[in-house]
Coordinates of all heavy atoms in Angstrom, one line a residue:
A1 N 315.7 10.4 -73.9 CA 314.9 9.5 -73.1 C 315.8 8.9 -72.0 O 315.4 8.7 -70.8 CB 314.3 8.4 -74.0
L2 N 317.0 8.5 -72.4 CA 318.0 8.0 -71.4 C 318.3 9.0 -70.2 O 318.3 8.7 -69.1 CB 319.3 7.6 -72.0 CG 319.2 6.3 -72.9 CD1 320.5 6.2 -73.8 CD2 319.1 5.1 -72.1
A3 N 318.4 10.2 -70.6 CA 318.7 11.3 -69.6 C 317.5 11.5 -68.7 O 317.6 11.7 -67.5 CB 319.0 12.6 -70.3
A4 N 316.3 11.4 -69.3 CA 315.1 11.6 -68.5 C 314.9 10.4 -67.5 O 314.5 10.6 -66.3 CB 313.8 11.6 -69.4
A5 N 315.3 9.2 -68.0 CA 315.2 8.0 -67.1 C 316.2 8.2 -65.9 O 315.9 7.9 -64.8 CB 315.5 6.8 -67.9
F6 N 317.4 8.7 -66.2 CA 318.4 8.9 -65.2 C 317.9 10.0 -64.2 O 318.0 9.7 -63.0 CB 319.7 9.4 -65.8 CG 320.8 9.8 -64.8 CD1 321.3 8.9 -63.9 CD2 321.3 11.0 -64.9 CE1 322.2 9.3 -63.0 CE2 322.3 11.4 -64.0 CZ 322.8 10.5 -63.1
R7 N 317.4 11.1 -64.7 CA 316.9 12.1 -63.8 C 315.7 11.6 -62.9 O 315.6 11.9 -61.7 CB 316.5 13.3 -64.5 CG 317.7 14.1 -65.2 CD 317.1 15.5 -65.7 NE 318.2 16.3 -66.2 CZ 318.5 16.5 -67.5 NH1 317.8 15.8 -68.4 NH2 319.5 17.3 -67.9
S8 N 314.9 10.8 -63.5 CA 313.7 10.3 -62.8 C 314.1 9.3 -61.6 O 313.4 9.2 -60.7 CB 312.8 9.6 -63.7 OG 313.3 8.3 -64.1
A9 N 315.3 8.8 -61.8 CA 315.9 7.9 -60.7 C 316.6 8.7 -59.6 O 317.1 8.1 -58.7 CB 316.8 6.8 -61.3
G10 N 316.7 10.0 -59.9 CA 317.3 10.9 -58.8 C 318.7 11.4 -59.2 O 319.4 12.0 -58.5
G11 N 319.2 11.1 -60.5 CA 320.5 11.5 -60.9 C 320.6 12.9 -61.2 O 319.6 13.6 -61.5
T12 N 321.8 13.4 -61.3 CA 322.1 14.9 -61.5 C 322.9 15.0 -62.8 O 323.9 14.3 -62.9 CB 322.8 15.5 -60.4 OG1 322.0 15.4 -59.2 CG2 323.0 17.0 -60.6
I13 N 322.5 15.9 -63.7 CA 323.3 16.1 -64.9 C 323.7 17.6 -64.9 O 322.9 18.5 -64.7 CB 322.5 15.8 -66.2 CG1 322.0 14.4 -66.2 CG2 323.3 16.2 -67.4 CD1 321.2 14.0 -67.4
E14 N 325.0 17.9 -65.2 CA 325.5 19.2 -65.4 C 326.1 19.3 -66.8 O 327.1 18.5 -67.1 CB 326.5 19.5 -64.4 CG 326.0 19.7 -63.0 CD 327.1 20.1 -61.9 OE1 328.2 20.4 -62.4 OE2 326.7 20.1 -60.8
T15 N 325.5 20.1 -67.7 CA 326.1 20.3 -69.1 C 327.0 21.4 -69.1 O 327.0 22.3 -68.1 CB 324.9 20.4 -70.1 OG1 324.1 21.6 -69.7 CG2 324.0 19.2 -70.1
G16 N 327.7 21.6 -70.2 CA 328.6 22.7 -70.3 C 329.8 22.7 -69.4 O 330.4 23.7 -69.0
T17 N 330.2 21.5 -69.0 CA 331.2 21.3 -68.0 C 332.3 20.4 -68.7 O 332.2 19.1 -68.7 CB 330.7 20.6 -66.7 OG1 329.6 21.4 -66.2 CG2 331.8 20.5 -65.7
R18 N 333.3 21.0 -69.2 CA 334.4 20.2 -69.8 C 335.5 19.9 -68.8 O 336.0 20.7 -68.1 CB 335.1 21.0 -71.0 CG 336.0 20.2 -71.8 CD 336.5 21.0 -73.1 NE 335.4 21.2 -73.9 CZ 334.8 20.4 -74.8 NH1 335.4 19.1 -74.9 NH2 333.8 20.7 -75.6
V19 N 335.9 18.6 -68.8 CA 336.9 18.1 -67.8 C 338.2 17.9 -68.5 O 338.3 17.2 -69.5 CB 336.4 16.8 -67.1 CG1 337.4 16.3 -66.2 CG2 335.1 17.0 -66.4
T20 N 339.3 18.5 -68.0 CA 340.6 18.4 -68.6 C 341.5 17.7 -67.6 O 342.6 17.3 -68.0 CB 341.1 19.7 -68.9 OG1 341.3 20.5 -67.8 CG2 340.3 20.4 -70.0
S21 N 341.1 17.4 -66.4 CA 342.0 16.7 -65.4 C 341.1 16.2 -64.3 O 340.0 16.8 -64.0 CB 343.0 17.7 -64.8 OG 343.6 17.1 -63.7
L22 N 341.5 15.1 -63.8 CA 340.7 14.4 -62.7 C 340.7 15.3 -61.5 O 339.8 15.3 -60.7 CB 341.3 13.1 -62.3 CG 341.2 12.0 -63.4 CD1 341.7 10.7 -62.8 CD2 339.7 11.7 -63.8
D23 N 341.7 16.2 -61.4 CA 341.7 17.1 -60.2 C 340.6 18.1 -60.2 O 340.3 18.7 -59.2 CB 343.0 17.9 -60.2 CG 344.2 16.9 -60.0 OD1 344.1 15.9 -59.4 OD2 345.4 17.3 -60.5
E24 N 339.9 18.3 -61.4 CA 338.8 19.2 -61.4 C 337.5 18.6 -60.9 O 336.5 19.3 -60.7 CB 338.6 19.7 -62.9 CG 339.8 20.3 -63.5 CD 339.6 20.5 -65.0 OE1 338.6 20.1 -65.5 OE2 340.6 21.0 -65.6
L25 N 337.5 17.3 -60.7 CA 336.2 16.6 -60.4 C 336.0 16.7 -58.9 O 336.9 16.8 -58.1 CB 336.3 15.2 -60.8 CG 336.5 14.9 -62.3 CD1 336.6 13.4 -62.5 CD2 335.3 15.5 -63.1
P26 N 334.7 16.7 -58.5 CA 334.4 16.7 -57.1 C 334.7 15.3 -56.5 O 334.9 14.3 -57.2 CB 332.8 16.9 -57.0 CG 332.4 16.5 -58.4 CD 333.5 16.9 -59.3
E27 N 334.9 15.3 -55.2 CA 335.2 14.0 -54.6 C 334.1 13.0 -54.7 O 332.9 13.3 -54.6 CB 335.5 14.2 -53.1 CG 336.0 13.0 -52.3 CD 336.3 13.3 -50.9 OE1 336.4 14.5 -50.5 OE2 336.5 12.3 -50.1
A28 N 334.5 11.7 -55.1 CA 333.6 10.7 -55.3 C 334.3 9.3 -55.0 O 335.5 9.3 -55.1 CB 333.0 10.7 -56.7
R29 N 333.5 8.3 -54.8 CA 334.1 7.0 -54.5 C 334.6 6.4 -55.8 O 335.5 5.5 -55.8 CB 333.1 6.1 -53.8 CG 332.7 6.6 -52.4 CD 331.6 5.8 -51.9 NE 331.9 4.4 -51.7 CZ 331.0 3.5 -51.4 NH1 329.7 3.8 -51.3 NH2 331.3 2.2 -51.3
A30 N 334.0 6.7 -56.9 CA 334.5 6.2 -58.2 C 334.2 7.2 -59.3 O 333.3 8.0 -59.3 CB 333.7 4.8 -58.5
V31 N 335.1 7.2 -60.3 CA 334.9 8.0 -61.5 C 334.9 7.2 -62.8 O 335.6 6.2 -62.9 CB 336.2 9.0 -61.6 CG1 336.1 9.8 -62.9 CG2 336.1 10.0 -60.4
F32 N 334.0 7.6 -63.6 CA 333.8 6.8 -64.9 C 334.0 7.8 -66.0 O 333.5 8.9 -66.1 CB 332.3 6.3 -65.0 CG 332.0 5.3 -63.9 CD1 331.8 5.7 -62.6 CD2 332.0 3.9 -64.2 CE1 331.5 4.7 -61.6 CE2 331.8 3.0 -63.2 CZ 331.5 3.4 -62.0
L33 N 334.9 7.4 -67.0 CA 335.3 8.2 -68.1 C 334.7 7.6 -69.4 O 335.2 6.6 -69.9 CB 336.8 8.4 -68.2 CG 337.5 9.0 -66.9 CD1 339.0 9.0 -67.1 CD2 337.0 10.4 -66.6
A34 N 333.8 8.3 -70.0 CA 333.2 7.8 -71.3 C 334.0 8.6 -72.3 O 333.5 9.4 -73.1 CB 331.7 8.2 -71.4
L35 N 335.3 8.2 -72.4 CA 336.3 8.9 -73.3 C 337.1 7.8 -74.0 O 337.2 6.7 -73.5 CB 337.2 9.8 -72.5 CG 336.5 10.9 -71.6 CD1 337.6 11.5 -70.7 CD2 335.8 11.9 -72.4
T36 N 337.7 8.2 -75.1 CA 338.7 7.3 -75.8 C 339.9 7.2 -75.0 O 340.2 8.0 -74.1 CB 339.0 7.8 -77.2 OG1 339.8 8.9 -77.1 CG2 337.7 8.0 -78.0
F37 N 340.7 6.2 -75.2 CA 341.8 5.9 -74.4 C 342.9 7.0 -74.4 O 343.5 7.3 -73.3 CB 342.5 4.5 -74.7 CG 341.7 3.4 -74.1 CD1 341.2 2.4 -74.9 CD2 341.5 3.3 -72.8 CE1 340.5 1.3 -74.4 CE2 340.8 2.2 -72.2 CZ 340.3 1.2 -73.0

């Protein structure tokens, strides 16, 4: 339901994408990591 709410607001979700370095991320003004420290 949360994912559907995000998509309905215009957001984009890509699954199956494991991030091992910030260098792998597309350019953005801010990055948020929902990861342990």
Side-chain angles (χ1 to χ4, degrees):
L2 288 167
F6 173 59
R7 288 190 177 103
S8 74
T12 302
I13 299 176
E14 293 182 7
T15 58
T17 305
R18 188 172 298 278
V19 176
T20 60
S21 169
L22 293 184
D23 296 335
E24 301 169 4
L25 298 178
E27 185 176 347
R29 294 170 63 189
V31 171
F32 297 77
L33 302 176
L35 306 171
T36 68
F37 279 122

